[in-house]
Amino acid sequence: MVFPHDPDDDAGTGPPLHPDDRLWRHPSEMAAAGRGGRSGEDADVGRGGHESAGPVGTPRIWTMATVGLVVGVAATLAVLSVVGTFDESPVTTVVEQVETALPTNNEGIALVAEQVGPALVRVDATREGTTRTATGVVFRSDGHLLTTADAVEGADAISVTTADATVLAASVVGIDHSTDLAVLDVDRDGMATAVIGRVADLDPGAQTVALEREPDADTPAVAAGHVSAVGLRIDTTDGGTLHDMIQAALETSPSSGGAVLCSRDGAVLGLVTSRQPAPDSAFTSTSASVEGSTTTTVAAPAGLATRYATPIDYATQLAAEIIATGTVRHTWLGVLGDDLDPSQAAALGRSGATLTRVMPDGPAAAAGMEEGDVVLAIDGVQVTSMSSLVVALRSLGDGETVSVSYVRDGQQRHAMVTLTSRG
């Protein structure tokens, strides 16, 4: 039987294409196709005597290819839309590096240094004729980098030496002394940037590598080790307090301030501070909990060099604010406080933050809170220590009104507090 041409087929004088070479079949051809081969031909038999999918699968392959093409085009259009190809005005290109798994042996450590190295710079800050060296990490390709505030604060001149030995003058965009973070800017575009790690997934015991740029060294100095604790509050020798810090136990000690703590997958986890804990610092964990009558604390491990790093996600959050405004304003509740001692936590049945002072002009006082109140939660986020209270405030902004749950005289209460901010 001769079939008329489908209106979508090209007309021609030759015989019609074989059914297996077309994307359609006439019902009269389905019987032959169902027997597994071309009309008048034996079915293909694969190894082991089983019939192979052979030509019968061809139309489905073409269909899948067509669907794949459509999906690929859609994905491409989505990406082009995100980066602004179809925008009428140009937008800033944002390059995001992707974390990839590397070997966990010595070769893997070298690969971490090789991967992160191009984004590391040496920072030389001169103050009153004395030069202090630190390590910085480039997190934006337009020349913005992070380093420690202590290294550059009050400097008369700052220079940055890149991985290719180029020396560039640097300017301070902004400093946040309370977190020991500084944002610098150099006049250079297209700089290599570091992979930003997922600190929320970080657990004690994870392998880590600290990298730093030392003077007159072509490659970064490496100190391998592991994460010994996360979410620590550290009272420092200068009288300050650092919150939500990563504690790393390293085989060797970084020699300069501002080393960069990395995962063994080559992603930056945090910036190592040069500040040291006070002798009586309890290293209280942000996630402290009650185990019977004991509040969980973390002690520094023995036999290894211990360093503390600000999580990179919070550092980049602060950096974005500094770049946008030139400064950082921290959300303020208007209180001073401390962790509950073990007996208080046992009596309450849980941990929290007890207020030792409520500022008369602060948001907490305006909402009726008093000294001695024990804060349990802010907007439903559990408060387990004074450090966790500080960390909870980091995600809140000036002018937001939040619900604060607290205990006074054994009774749980709630206050609606409108937060403010200060530098």
Side-chain angles (χ1 to χ4, degrees):
M1 178 183 293
V2 178
F3 303 113
H5 288 295
D6 187 283
D8 292 332
D9 285 347
D10 292 331
T13 57
L17 293 174
H18 191 278
D20 287 340
D21 296 326
R22 302 196 303 268
L23 297 181
W24 56 270
R25 289 179 185 272
H26 192 276
S28 64
E29 299 174 320
M30 297 304 293
R35 290 191 293 268
R38 293 176 181 264
S39 178
E41 295 177 356
D42 294 332
D44 292 334
V45 178
R47 294 181 181 178
H50 298 289
E51 291 185 2
S52 66
V56 176
T58 303
R60 287 188 293 175
I61 293 173
W62 276 98
T63 303
M64 293 173 66
T66 304
V67 172
L69 176 62
V70 173
V71 172
V73 170
T76 303
L77 292 174
V79 171
L80 292 174
S81 178
V82 169
V83 299
T85 299
F86 298 134
D87 292 346
E88 295 181 0
S89 58
V91 297
T92 302
T93 301
V94 177
V95 179
E96 181 180 348
Q97 301 280 12
V98 179
E99 187 173 357
T100 56
L102 297 175
T104 58
N105 52 19
N106 289 336
E107 177 188 0
I109 295 175
L111 289 174
V112 172
E114 181 180 333
Q115 177 170 312
V116 183
L120 295 185
V121 299
R122 191 181 82 238
V123 178
D124 294 310
T126 303
R127 183 187 300 110
E128 297 179 353
T130 301
T131 299
R132 181 172 181 176
T133 298
T135 298
V137 58
V138 180
F139 69 101
R140 284 180 34 159
S141 58
D142 61 358
H144 285 94
L145 59 104
L146 281 165
T147 191
T148 60
D150 289 353
V152 300
E153 194 167 20
D156 303 316
I158 304 171
S159 66
V160 163
T161 304
T162 65
D164 61 5
T166 302
V167 179
L168 303 168
S171 59
V172 175
V173 181
I175 288 177
D176 183 38
H177 183 76
S178 66
T179 56
D180 193 24
L181 291 175
V183 179
L184 305 183
D185 184 30
V186 297
D187 187 16
R188 188 175 188 180
D189 290 326
M191 297 188 73
T193 57
V195 177
I196 302 302
R198 293 181 292 272
V199 180
D201 301 332
L202 191 62
D203 293 315
Q207 293 181 320
T208 189
V209 178
L211 302 175
E212 62 176 338
R213 284 276 180 206
E214 295 182 316
D216 303 321
D218 295 331
T219 58
V222 177
H226 66 273
V227 173
S228 51
V230 295
L232 296 187
R233 166 187 170 175
I234 302 168
D235 298 322
T236 58
T237 54
D238 63 356
T241 301
L242 298 172
H243 296 276
D244 201 29
M245 300 294 282
I246 303 168
Q247 184 187 62
L250 305 172
E251 295 174 357
T252 57
S253 176
S255 59
S256 68
V260 177
L261 193 68
C262 303
S263 72
R264 291 292 290 269
D265 293 333
V268 174
L269 299 175
L271 291 183
V272 177
T273 180
S274 57
R275 298 179 190 175
Q276 296 299 310
D280 57 348
S281 184
F283 303 102
T284 305
S285 173
T286 301
S287 56
S289 60
V290 175
E291 300 285 347
S293 61
T294 304
T295 301
T296 302
T297 57
V298 181
L304 295 173
T306 303
R307 290 294 181 268
Y308 303 94
T310 301
I312 191 63
D313 50 358
Y314 184 54
T316 52
Q317 174 188 326
L318 289 181
E321 184 176 353
I322 289 173
I323 293 170
T325 67
T327 187
V328 171
R329 297 189 63 82
H330 297 281
T331 303
W332 190 53
L333 186 60
V335 300
L336 297 178
D338 208 345
D339 305 336
L340 289 178
D341 63 38
S343 62
Q344 291 173 318
L348 188 61
R350 53 159 296 167
S351 53
T354 182
L355 303 184
T356 59
R357 185 181 176 190
V358 177
M359 309 301 179
D361 59 343
M369 299 185 69
E370 300 175 357
E371 293 180 12
D373 290 345
V374 178
V375 179
L376 304 178
I378 297 179
D379 260 3
V381 177
Q382 188 176 11
V383 171
T384 57
S385 62
M386 191 60 197
S387 189
S388 71
L389 187 152
V390 173
V391 173
L393 290 174
R394 288 176 174 177
S395 62
L396 303 171
D398 185 8
E400 286 192 53
T401 299
V402 298
S403 173
V404 178
S405 301
Y406 64 98
V407 171
R408 179 188 297 169
D409 299 328
Q411 299 296 317
Q412 184 164 337
R413 305 185 179 202
H414 300 275
M416 299 305 295
V417 182
T418 300
L419 303 172
T420 60
S421 64
R422 63 177 184 175

